[in-house]
Amino acid sequence: MPKNKDAVYYSDYLKLDTLLSAQQPHSPKYGAEAHDEMLFIIVHQVYELWFKQVLHELRAIHADFSKPQLDDKALYLVAHRLRRVLTIQDLMNDQVAVIETMTPQEFLEFRDYLVPASGFQSIQFKELEIRLGLTRKTRIAFDQQSFYNRLNEQDRNYLEELEQQPTLFDCVDDWLARMPFLEFKDFKFWDMYQAAVNDALDHDETIIRENAADEEQLHTELAGIQANRDNFAALFDNERYKVLQESDAVRLSQRAMLSALFITQYREEPAFNLAWQVITSLAEVDEKLTIWRYKHAMMVQRMLGTKIGTGGSSGHDYLRRTTEQNRVFKDFFAMSTYLLPKSALPELPERVKAALGFSSLSALEKGDGAA
Amino acid sequence: MPKNKDAVYYSDYLKLDTLLSAQQPHSPKYGAEAHDEMLFIIVHQVYELWFKQVLHELRAIHADFSKPQLDDKALYLVAHRLRRVLTIQDLMNDQVAVIETMTPQEFLEFRDYLVPASGFQSIQFKELEIRLGLTRKTRIAFDQQSFYNRLNEQDRNYLEELEQQPTLFDCVDDWLARMPFLEFKDFKFWDMYQAAVNDALDHDETIIRENAADEEQLHTELAGIQANRDNFAALFDNERYKVLQESDAVRLSQRAMLSALFITQYREEPAFNLAWQVITSLAEVDEKLTIWRYKHAMMVQRMLGTKIGTGGSSGHDYLRRTTEQNRVFKDFFAMSTYLLPKSALPELPERVKAALGFSSLSALEKGDGAA
Amino acid sequence: MPKNKDAVYYSDYLKLDTLLSAQQPHSPKYGAEAHDEMLFIIVHQVYELWFKQVLHELRAIHADFSKPQLDDKALYLVAHRLRRVLTIQDLMNDQVAVIETMTPQEFLEFRDYLVPASGFQSIQFKELEIRLGLTRKTRIAFDQQSFYNRLNEQDRNYLEELEQQPTLFDCVDDWLARMPFLEFKDFKFWDMYQAAVNDALDHDETIIRENAADEEQLHTELAGIQANRDNFAALFDNERYKVLQESDAVRLSQRAMLSALFITQYREEPAFNLAWQVITSLAEVDEKLTIWRYKHAMMVQRMLGTKIGTGGSSGHDYLRRTTEQNRVFKDFFAMSTYLLPKSALPELPERVKAALGFSSLSALEKGDGAA
Amino acid sequence: MPKNKDAVYYSDYLKLDTLLSAQQPHSPKYGAEAHDEMLFIIVHQVYELWFKQVLHELRAIHADFSKPQLDDKALYLVAHRLRRVLTIQDLMNDQVAVIETMTPQEFLEFRDYLVPASGFQSIQFKELEIRLGLTRKTRIAFDQQSFYNRLNEQDRNYLEELEQQPTLFDCVDDWLARMPFLEFKDFKFWDMYQAAVNDALDHDETIIRENAADEEQLHTELAGIQANRDNFAALFDNERYKVLQESDAVRLSQRAMLSALFITQYREEPAFNLAWQVITSLAEVDEKLTIWRYKHAMMVQRMLGTKIGTGGSSGHDYLRRTTEQNRVFKDFFAMSTYLLPKSALPELPERVKAALGFSSLSALEKGDGAA
């Protein structure tokens, strides 16, 4: 442990000399200092620090999922760290309120000195998107090719190198696909399940027929039901599932999709609880990211109206674009389409439960535990 | 003042017997109680209580703006109450997190018993939208004609009656249009202003030409600039302004638009500060309402996937629809398009300031005050 | 399922006629309506609705813990519902910002008409405190005997009846005490543990001796260390533990305290993860309740200065009192006093793990699973 | 404006190389990296960035108040920037949730490597407190002399130099004291006011006598009323006011206190509205700072139990200490003690209003404006 000569000093430990020297407004070079440029710089630097922390967590999570086998302690840590990422995202979303205390007029005092810098050039944010698994296609649409091209050599190489590696999405897909939920010997889960979902869809159809207000609505909603029937059938038909994937209707592999469904259905079972927390958290990461892009885009529009941004993009375009909301884990988000109410759910046979080691804590209580 | 015999008892004052008797889950009628139906009811009831409070404030604000003349104390109250509305909206937006603690599966336990009730049927929320000035056209698109038709007699009449009256938007427009900002005798503000804005647009054009990454971007951005030039020119041309209005490009009357611009430019002048707070707050009410619809729609999609809602609508459709974001006060929101940096802004002549009674508090300090 | 004749109407389902008829300001009876009395009523009614929801969750949790044996699904639900309670508490804490939009002067317009009603008379809030396990002694100190006496017959009886029953604290204590963590056959966990904690305390003592800035600090801190040594020793000594309990230094039973320590140390093990989430959440419920009381008290002081409240209490007194912060689960909160870093923690023997059914999900992956 | 050769690159503008090189965990020097040390560093660095921004605003505000005369535009900016400070404080208070995602055990993995660094050594936070006007006496009590002594030469000198200058509190006091609200010629405001406040206190006394539940409460509350009578009388008696100041019962000068009262009473008058916003915001800065200290202290206690902190302080002591809540602007916070309801408030004579230039915007509307 540290002797007194190694006594740590707060500002040294936090490298405050370095940290607090990194705010260098440009406005003074062009005349009077624009008071609010400091806010602009610090708000963006805080975002970059949070991006670094989120990447710190995502890299650790990514590394765990990259292992051939994810043990339960690792799974606990993944769930724990995803919750931390979500907490940071909430803060980042609320932080938009701080930049909104700058009026458009105050921004105009220094906007010109930033051209053509743009938030699109945040390498950490791009790594965050790539690492999660945002596909190049969608990402480019977001970033506008033109800006992407304008990244410096080093940054572009870093990102392109990164794109060669399996993403967190890929690793999560593999992990789910490894689960043996399709091979329960005599327990015919998937037969029961398909029957139950079909009943549920018939039931929805009845609701529609009885409550549709007019022909047009009836038509639309029945078409929706039919689409769900087709998609659902495809879950159990390799050929049709491929079609869904190619049309971007689903992204998960077929096995992974079914495992995710199984885990979501039985999330209350201790063996599945952490896995379900992970699945849900990944969907929430997407959701909060979408909210962030959305609030951010509204802030840009408010700041610039239909004027061009410092990077030459118009807030308005960006707003339209962002609302297409490209989510990586949208399959988890839409999982509920095929969920059954607990009442309609086949109980897991004791044999299966036992095999899953479901006893855990209550086993101890019952006394057939560790004593 | 109350004698002791009139002593007020907390639960009587708050009518808690009535309030707490209003949670009547339907699931028990169909079998076991669904534990989470209580949450579903209470979350919606809390929203309705907040809607009532927001309407309480908006009606008072609306009444003040309906007067032939808005005095300064009234303006203070309007600004004060709009800030309250915004605070409540922040809470309503965060409240989505509470309903999100209900899993899709938990919702399925009682969803069927609610059919075909739908949040679209909240009369208070509709009044809120109508009162602000959401046009029937947009509102219907949101609500889906079919549901609107399904309102009961009384509710439909109430709303249709309301639609006949001038909205808050109309009153705010009148108030702004009454301002004499176009008739400063020898002070040629608008000439200077137009010259300055044109310089700013030329300047943006230069930025684009120097920084455009490729032909395509250059083309798009220059088209954007030209559109701004046309819109701006129209601000001073009755005929062309009418065209903008008919195409929904702007909604404010021409005079109101120019007054809003003037107030925004000179918001730091005491005489304009409250008015500017009001303008900004109205834009924020819109913005937070959009965020609420957006978060709400994502929650619905998460709860139902592409399943139909209790009202037969699919969360997915709604999500697409809501992102078109129909804002009432979008002209205030986009005001920044024509804003000038303070440096480029003509100083108000002393004569004008005097006429506006700009001295106020600092006058007192200087001693030429009330003594 | 409901036929169309049973079609549910939004406002009927939510009993809006009843709900929205429960706001009856008193000011009109005494002259002009005080605009802000509506806010005052609605803010308190929203709190009461949230109290009802929180009680709905706590009663279910309480019922589960009252069972002779808590199975794992129930434990999942308890953790899930406590997270919901925490989410609601966050919202309740933020809600203080809404009432703070009322100025003291606006409150004065109707304060007299409320006398002597007081938030201290919220029966639901009292039930919440009693059910959690706030002892009558502390609770009275909070409520001020005088007001408690002033409750009506029915309310007082309800609460006194409730006080006769075992609280959530009692049930959680029993549940923890039932765990067999003290009887691991040949695995001498507690010996290793005591040795490790003593090393840690020696280590802290060294830190102090090396870094104390002056004699006074040295003295104080060493006294602190000694107190920790004594408390820690008492954990393993029935007689001395009783003394700690009688002095209110600890509240949990000795067995429960040790179980909680064990679970906290090994929370990453799947079998303990949910139990640890429950323990942590209970400490957070306390923490957020304290924040709520604190913010609420500051709001009262701000509204009344040192004036008396509608119930005759001065905000200032209450503020002082609340900061004594009576927490029910403070033992969980202070658990960290005796925590060991993972590095210093004895690894659980495979035999013990097996008995705890630790394989769960990773077992499946390895293939020794359900197939 | 910048030519293309000066094209600004996002990461250069934000000095990201510097910023992102400042996170240097110590744990790797002692063995394996503690994953969560990064979170610990980044959370504190973000706080320091926000401290820098808050200081940026406070210095500008402080400079404006230091001028012999504060003009109205400056007053607008002060109000605007204080709102920004409050928005940042809200974010800082919510940020506690991020560090709380670190478990006590995770903290233990690297706590020893930080000794004896301590958040007490944040120079920016100390400057913030000193600049606002926290007196050395109170501040030391907070900081613990011992740590203050341990600051390095440079830091201690910087703070001691700062302590020689007039604080923001001093400047605000001077500004308020300069107002001529005591010398309205024939308008006997203060006579009317004293009469009205005495009526209000008599009224409170009646309430108490009629509603006191028992002798003890009656006694306590009547004593409270008497204290208010004495304090109030002292507002108009130089000698007795001095006594209040010496006993720390009040801090503002007598003239400043009366000006603040006058402004608070007439805040709806346009001439006073901005001044009132400033007064209120300063009280809120204090309030949010207190909440921050409080949440922070609870987090420390949760992290360490009664263990010593990295600086040798026990979270528990700090918690007790912080709740004494030393507020700089507590006189504004307690202003409500002497507030009158609008109904009891003497209307300002037209002559006075005119002199204050109260017409402003509504004057324009009426047409006696700038045209």
Side-chain angles (χ1 to χ4, degrees), chain B residues 35-175:
Chain B
H35 175 85
D36 286 11
E37 190 177 1
M38 181 64 77
L39 179 73
F40 187 84
I41 291 171
I42 284 181
V43 162
H44 284 83
Q45 288 182 333
V46 169
Y47 273 129
E48 289 291 336
L49 285 180
W50 289 132
F51 292 156
K52 180 168 185 173
Q53 184 60 41
V54 168
L55 282 173
H56 183 66
E57 304 300 342
L58 286 184
R59 288 193 193 108
I61 291 164
H62 199 161
D64 281 336
F65 270 113
S66 306
K67 292 184 191 132
Q69 148 87 21
L70 186 72
D71 76 24
D72 296 305
K73 282 194 190 182
L75 190 58
Y76 159 81
L77 275 179
V78 167
H80 177 60
R81 288 165 178 175
L82 281 174
R83 268 196 301 278
R84 173 176 297 165
V85 168
L86 293 170
T87 308
I88 294 173
Q89 286 184 286
D90 284 337
L91 201 68
M92 290 198 291
N93 288 345
D94 291 340
Q95 189 175 317
V96 176
V98 174
I99 191 68
E100 284 183 339
T101 63
M102 181 170 70
T103 65
Q105 219 168 356
E106 289 165 331
F107 180 47
L108 282 181
E109 296 298 327
F110 60 92
R111 179 192 68 136
D112 292 345
Y113 313 137
L114 279 48
V115 171
S118 157
F120 292 115
Q121 294 167 323
S122 168
I123 301 309
Q124 291 197 116
F125 188 70
K126 276 206 179 51
E127 171 169 352
L128 195 153
E129 292 184 321
I130 295 172
R131 198 171 277 283
L132 282 173
L134 203 58
T135 61
R136 189 183 179 91
K137 197 172 81 272
T138 355
R139 217 179 65 261
I140 300 296
F142 252 106
D143 302 344
Q144 300 167 293
Q145 182 63 41
S146 50
F147 284 93
Y148 197 65
N149 291 345
R150 194 112 52 75
L151 290 181
N152 69 30
E153 191 71 12
Q154 180 195 5
D155 291 342
R156 189 163 46 249
N157 294 344
Y158 178 74
L159 294 178
E160 281 168 352
E161 207 277 304
L162 194 67
E163 285 175 309
Q164 305 317 313
Q165 298 154 27
T167 67
L168 181 56
F169 175 89
D170 302 327
C171 300
V172 170
D173 189 288
D174 289 347
W175 170 67

Side-chain angles (χ1 to χ4, degrees), chain B residues 309-340:
Chain B
T310 56
S313 72
S314 96
H316 193 74
D317 291 358
Y318 184 48
L319 183 51
R320 188 177 47 63
R321 217 178 274 112
T322 195
T323 54
E324 292 154 14
Q325 14 157 355
N326 52 343
R327 308 212 206 102
V328 174
F329 297 100
K330 63 174 195 292
D331 294 334
F332 295 151
F333 198 85
M335 199 103 290
S336 42
T337 313
Y338 308 116
L339 274 194
L340 294 176

Side-chain angles (χ1 to χ4, degrees), chain C residues 66-326:
Chain C
S66 307
K67 293 180 191 136
Q69 149 86 22
L70 186 71
D71 75 24
D72 296 306
K73 281 194 192 183
L75 190 57
Y76 159 81
L77 275 179
V78 166
H80 178 60
R81 288 165 177 174
L82 281 174
R83 267 196 301 279
R84 173 176 297 165
V85 168
L86 293 170
T87 308
I88 294 173
Q89 285 184 287
D90 284 336
L91 201 67
M92 290 198 293
N93 288 346
D94 291 341
Q95 188 175 319
V96 175
V98 174
I99 192 68
E100 284 183 339
T101 64
M102 182 170 71
T103 65
Q105 219 168 358
E106 288 165 331
F107 180 48
L108 282 181
E109 297 298 326
F110 61 93
R111 179 191 68 134
D112 292 344
Y113 313 137
L114 279 48
V115 171
S118 158
F120 292 115
Q121 294 166 324
S122 168
I123 301 309
Q124 290 198 114
F125 188 70
K126 277 207 177 52
E127 172 170 351
L128 194 152
E129 292 184 320
I130 295 172
R131 198 170 278 282
L132 282 173
L134 204 57
T135 62
R136 189 184 179 92
K137 196 172 86 271
T138 354
R139 219 179 62 262
I140 300 296
F142 251 106
D143 301 344
Q144 300 166 294
Q145 182 62 42
S146 50
F147 284 91
Y148 197 65
N149 292 344
R150 192 111 52 75
L151 290 181
N152 69 30
E153 192 71 10
Q154 180 194 7
D155 290 342
R156 189 165 46 250
N157 294 346
Y158 179 74
L159 294 178
E160 280 167 353
E161 206 277 304
L162 194 67
E163 284 174 310
Q164 306 317 312
Q165 298 153 28
T167 67
L168 181 57
F169 175 89
D170 302 326
C171 300
V172 170
D173 190 288
D174 290 346
W175 170 67
L176 287 169
R178 285 199 299 270
M179 299 291 162
F181 300 139
L182 298 177
E183 299 91 11
F184 295 107
K185 260 200 236 58
D186 43 19
F187 170 48
K188 298 259 166 291
F189 172 74
W190 294 108
D191 301 349
M192 301 189 226
Y193 176 69
Q194 290 181 65
V197 170
N198 285 323
D199 291 349
L201 287 167
D202 294 343
H203 176 49
D204 280 0
E205 189 165 326
T206 325
I207 293 180
I208 291 169
R209 294 189 181 283
E210 282 175 338
N211 295 287
D214 48 42
E215 271 313 307
E216 183 212 352
Q217 192 202 0
L218 181 64
H219 184 75
T220 323
E221 300 297 351
L222 287 182
I225 291 282
Q226 192 49 51
N228 284 349
R229 291 190 191 277
D230 298 341
N231 291 342
F232 182 64
L235 294 185
F236 302 92
D237 175 330
N238 305 6
E239 290 319 308
R240 294 171 64 179
Y241 193 86
K242 274 202 195 58
V243 179
L244 286 187
Q245 281 180 304
E246 281 147 13
S247 68
D248 283 331
V250 297
R251 185 169 172 186
L252 283 171
S253 69
Q254 189 174 10
R255 280 187 65 94
M257 177 70 91
L258 292 172
S259 292
L261 260 170
F262 191 86
I263 288 168
T264 305
Q265 289 288 10
Y266 291 102
R267 73 188 184 286
E268 297 185 13
E269 304 288 356
F272 295 154
N273 187 253
L274 276 173
W276 174 72
Q277 282 181 37
V278 167
I279 286 176
T280 311
S281 298
L282 287 169
E284 284 179 9
V285 168
D286 262 351
E287 183 172 355
K288 292 183 191 295
L289 216 48
T290 306
I291 296 280
W292 185 80
R293 290 194 189 101
Y294 192 67
K295 285 180 127 186
H296 185 79
M298 290 186 78
M299 181 274 291
V300 170
Q301 189 189 32
R302 171 199 212 148
M303 210 58 87
L304 293 172
T306 57
K307 274 215 201 75
I308 56 166
T310 56
S313 73
S314 98
H316 193 73
D317 291 358
Y318 184 47
L319 184 53
R320 188 179 46 62
R321 215 177 277 112
T322 196
T323 54
E324 293 155 12
Q325 18 156 350
N326 53 341

